Every structure is written in structure tokens, then in C-alpha cells.
Amino acid sequence: MPRTNAEMSETTRRELLQRARAAFAEHGYSEAPIETVVRAAGMTKGALYHHFGSKQGLFAAVVRDVAEEIATSVGAKLSGAPTKAKFLRACGDYLQATLAPDVRRILLIDAPAVLDPAAAQQLENEIGVALLHTALNELKGAGELESNDIEALAHALNGALNGIALWAAHHEAPATAIRRGLKVVAAWMA
């Protein structure tokens, strides 16, 4: 059966994202060779501009893709009965994911420098803060959390986790930094 235009368009988009993720991870945003990305995908710059508008638009889509991938993985580990221990393990899984070289480069180093601050905050709110907000509400509903301000706690934890991720990424013993950071998060949750 022939593929629809929408299916072909999504295949093109996914191929460009995959090639761009590899290029941004290897070279960083400013040095990523877009010509090489489109050539490797078997496409033209026109396809990139059609789907993403610009190199920065492509990068923003890669950032969203990476963040959603991690959130999906972490979110799956939160299924079932909510407990603080499960929540803290999920936070640890997030921190471990940020140690991957491509994730570290794209999310922790380049995204804050490249993305418009308002767009970066919106992305944080839609993915990281939303996941934390949901998990914290479930903890509160299960009687595992006493906080009356879930929104503020979700934003504070999101900032703390991103700060711990940056610290761990540059620490001589990243696993130690993650353990220490999680102890602080656990203390907030007490």
C-alpha cells in the first residue's frame, strides 16, 4: 500500500531529527554542519526549512525530542502506586540520562545558550515541570507528600534537578554528585 503524504512527511521529519541529533551531539549547535545533516538524510536544505524553518528551529525540535524521550522513560518508571522511594529513583534515572554525552551536550550545554529564554521555559513547563507536577500530585493523593503548593515544588525540583545534572556532568565523580544531589531532593520531600 502506498504511503500517504503525511506518512512521508513524518518520515522526512524523523530522519532529519535523527541526523541533526547526531550532528548537534558531536559538533555542538554552532559547529553542526547542516549541509552534512541534510545530505546524510538524502534531502535538501529546502526539506529542513519546510519542516523546521531554520537551523535553530531544527535544534529546538531536537531538544524537545530528547526531553520527551527522557520524560517518557522516567514517566514509565513512575507507574503504579506512588511512593517517595519510586519518585526519588525516577529523579535518579533522569539524572543518569543527562550524563549521556549527547543528552548533556544538547540539553545542558547548548539548549540554554541557543533557545530563546521564553521558549526554553515553555519547554521546561510542558515536559519536566508537567511530569513532576503529576508525580507530586499523585504522591500527595497517596498521602506520601504534605506540601500544599505542588506547583511551586514542581518548579523548584525541576530547577534543582537541572542544577544537579549540570554539576554532575562536570564533577570528577558524576555518580557521587548524583547521590549527593538526590539526598538533598529527598530532604526536601521529607
Side-chain angles (χ1 to χ4, degrees):
M1 179 190 311
R3 295 185 325 164
T4 66
N5 284 342
E7 290 170 333
M8 290 187 295
S9 180
E10 182 57 23
T11 299
T12 298
R13 187 179 179 287
R14 297 292 328 150
E15 181 68 20
L16 284 167
L17 281 171
Q18 178 184 357
R19 301 294 180 158
R21 179 175 177 166
F24 291 136
E26 181 179 347
H27 304 285
Y29 173 79
S30 63
E31 299 299 319
I34 291 305
E35 295 78 15
T36 304
V37 169
V38 295
R39 194 173 27 247
M43 297 169 202
T44 65
K45 282 186 181 179
L48 180 146
Y49 295 125
H50 171 73
H51 288 281
F52 303 104
S54 65
K55 179 181 179 179
Q56 188 171 4
L58 175 60
F59 181 73
V62 168
V63 169
R64 176 174 289 282
D65 207 44
V66 171
E68 287 175 345
E69 179 182 294
I70 293 170
T72 298
S73 174
V74 169
K77 295 175 182 178
L78 289 168
S79 64
T83 66
K84 283 184 187 178
K86 187 186 295 183
F87 179 82
L88 291 171
R89 278 194 303 275
C91 290
D93 290 342
Y94 165 76
L95 293 170
Q96 276 302 132
T98 64
L99 292 178
D102 64 329
V103 173
R104 184 181 65 176
R105 179 65 185 245
I106 292 167
L107 287 187
L108 301 180
I109 297 171
D110 285 348
V114 174
L115 297 180
D116 169 78
Q121 186 60 54
Q122 180 179 347
L123 182 67
E124 285 288 332
N125 290 342
E126 290 174 9
I127 299 173
V129 174
L131 179 61
L132 287 165
H133 194 275
T134 299
L136 292 168
N137 265 330
E138 290 173 358
L139 284 171
K140 183 165 178 67
E144 290 275 317
L145 184 66
E146 293 182 22
S147 177
N148 288 323
D149 196 343
I150 299 298
E151 181 180 17
L153 184 57
H155 281 276
L157 284 173
N158 187 67
L161 290 169
N162 287 335
I164 294 166
L166 280 168
W167 176 49
H170 296 95
H171 198 275
E172 68 262 2
T176 300
I178 287 173
R179 275 194 306 279
R180 288 173 58 199
L182 285 173
K183 283 183 183 179
V184 170
V185 171
W188 282 11
M189 304 288 295

